[in-house]
């Protein structure tokens, strides 16, 4: 499946045939499309205005917006839950939302994340059977940080920008990359890579950089 700003296409990798679905999916015409995820027989497509659930078999669509409980209708990114095929985690401009696909129920989180200004664009960077990890971006009004939801208990834990200050005075958090695996997590902030110690509940620097070094923008844990 291929998403462009203006449409949705499917490419048959064997025959190389391209099928344009744009005109078949009600509600996406003339929309600025931003993300697409397929779960079973459904396509979930985000745009500046909300989220569309399109059933490929029934050829029907349903739209979700703030009226249905989404935290925001803009800057939407969709993350399937690898441990629960019935759940999507939806990052928005003003918070994180959880969509239960079978029921259509939406639960949204904003201030619960515990970072001042968390109503500004959280981004999911890891999901497993226990945790959802997010980066919280900084802008002119917020300082950002890292937040983690324990799915078993519903409890949020957060770490503000002031914890990422190796060798400098912190003022904001702007990560280029982050990765996690259960209790383990690493993030890059201002060219320094930090590793989370669950025993100490601290973010410890593991690599530093010289001004001339390239910034790491993709991080993985193996």
């Amino acid at each position: 499946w291929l998403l462009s700003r203006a449409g949705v296409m499917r490419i048959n990798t064997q025959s190389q045939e391209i099928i344009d679905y744009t005109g078949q999916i009600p509600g996406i015409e003339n929309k600025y499309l931003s993300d697409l995820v397929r779960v079973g027989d459904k396509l979930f497509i985000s745009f500046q205005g909300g989220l569309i659930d399109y059933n490929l078999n029934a050829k029907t669509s349903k739209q979700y917006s703030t009226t249905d409980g989404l935290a925001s209708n803009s800057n939407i990114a969709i993350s399937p839950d690898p441990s629960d095929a019935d759940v999507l985690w939806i990052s928005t401009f003003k918070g994180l939302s959880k969509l239960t696909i079978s029921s259509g129920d939406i639960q949204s989180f904003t201030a619960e994340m515990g970072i001042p200004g968390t109503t500004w664009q959280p981004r999911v960077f890891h999901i497993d059977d226990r945790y959802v990890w997010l980066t919280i971006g900084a802008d002119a009004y917020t300082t950002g940080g890292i937040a983690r939801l324990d799915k078993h208990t519903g409890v949020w834990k957060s770490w503000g920008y002031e914890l990422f200050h190796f060798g400098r005075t912190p003022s904001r958090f702007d990560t280029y990359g982050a990765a996690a695996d259960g209790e383990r997590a690493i993030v890059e902030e201002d060219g320094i890579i930090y590793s989370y110690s669950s025993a100490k509940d601290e973010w410890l620097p593991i690599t530093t950089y010289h001004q001339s070094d390239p910034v790491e923008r993709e991080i993985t844990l193996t």
Side-chain angles (χ1 to χ4, degrees):
W1 290 91
L2 177 66
L3 179 75
S4 70
R5 290 185 178 183
V8 176
M9 291 176 284
R10 188 183 71 179
I11 302 174
N12 186 313
T13 56
Q14 294 181 341
S15 67
Q16 305 301 309
E17 179 187 17
I18 299 175
I19 301 174
D20 190 343
Y21 272 74
T22 306
Q24 301 180 37
I25 304 176
I28 68 170
E29 299 86 355
N30 302 314
K31 297 290 196 307
Y32 184 96
L33 308 179
S34 55
D35 202 5
L36 180 149
V37 166
R38 179 178 178 178
V39 180
D41 61 355
K42 291 174 175 283
L43 291 181
F44 292 89
I45 306 161
S46 64
F47 63 98
Q48 294 299 322
L51 179 72
I52 288 176
D53 167 355
Y54 178 68
N55 190 304
L56 290 163
N57 293 329
K59 302 189 184 307
T60 57
S61 65
K62 177 180 179 180
Q63 184 170 322
Y64 296 97
S65 69
T66 53
T67 303
D68 306 290
L70 273 182
S72 172
N73 289 335
S74 61
N75 289 29
I76 294 175
I78 312 166
S79 301
D81 192 317
S83 64
D84 189 343
D86 196 32
V87 169
L88 292 178
W89 296 93
I90 304 166
S91 302
T92 79
F93 187 66
K94 292 186 176 181
L96 178 71
S97 296
K98 174 188 176 183
L99 170 65
T100 302
I101 298 171
S102 58
S103 66
D105 291 337
I106 296 176
Q107 180 182 11
S108 289
F109 308 92
T110 53
E112 296 93 335
M113 297 179 207
I115 300 290
T118 50
T119 55
W120 193 81
Q121 198 60 65
R123 287 290 186 184
V124 174
F125 67 87
H126 178 76
I127 306 168
D128 56 40
D129 61 349
R130 181 71 182 269
Y131 297 115
V132 181
W133 287 85
L134 307 99
T135 58
I136 310 295
D139 66 358
Y141 308 101
T142 63
T143 52
I146 298 287
R148 185 188 72 189
L149 171 64
D150 186 324
K151 297 193 297 185
H152 293 182
T153 64
V155 174
W156 284 90
K157 189 171 183 60
S158 59
W159 301 270
Y161 75 100
E162 67 279 358
L163 300 177
F164 304 88
H165 58 80
F166 181 78
R168 61 189 178 88
T169 301
S171 60
R172 55 186 285 150
F173 180 88
D174 284 308
T175 183
Y176 286 113
D181 180 8
E183 294 280 353
R184 299 189 305 158
I186 55 175
V187 301
E188 183 279 328
E189 157 60 6
D190 197 26
I192 300 171
I193 296 178
Y194 294 84
S195 175
Y196 175 62
S197 168
S198 59
K200 296 182 178 180
D201 191 23
E202 293 181 11
W203 290 89
L204 305 174
I206 56 175
T207 65
T208 58
Y209 81 122
H210 298 289
Q211 196 67 37
S212 60
D213 292 342
V215 174
E216 297 288 342
R217 296 182 183 268
E218 294 292 337
I219 297 176
T220 58
L221 274 170
T222 59

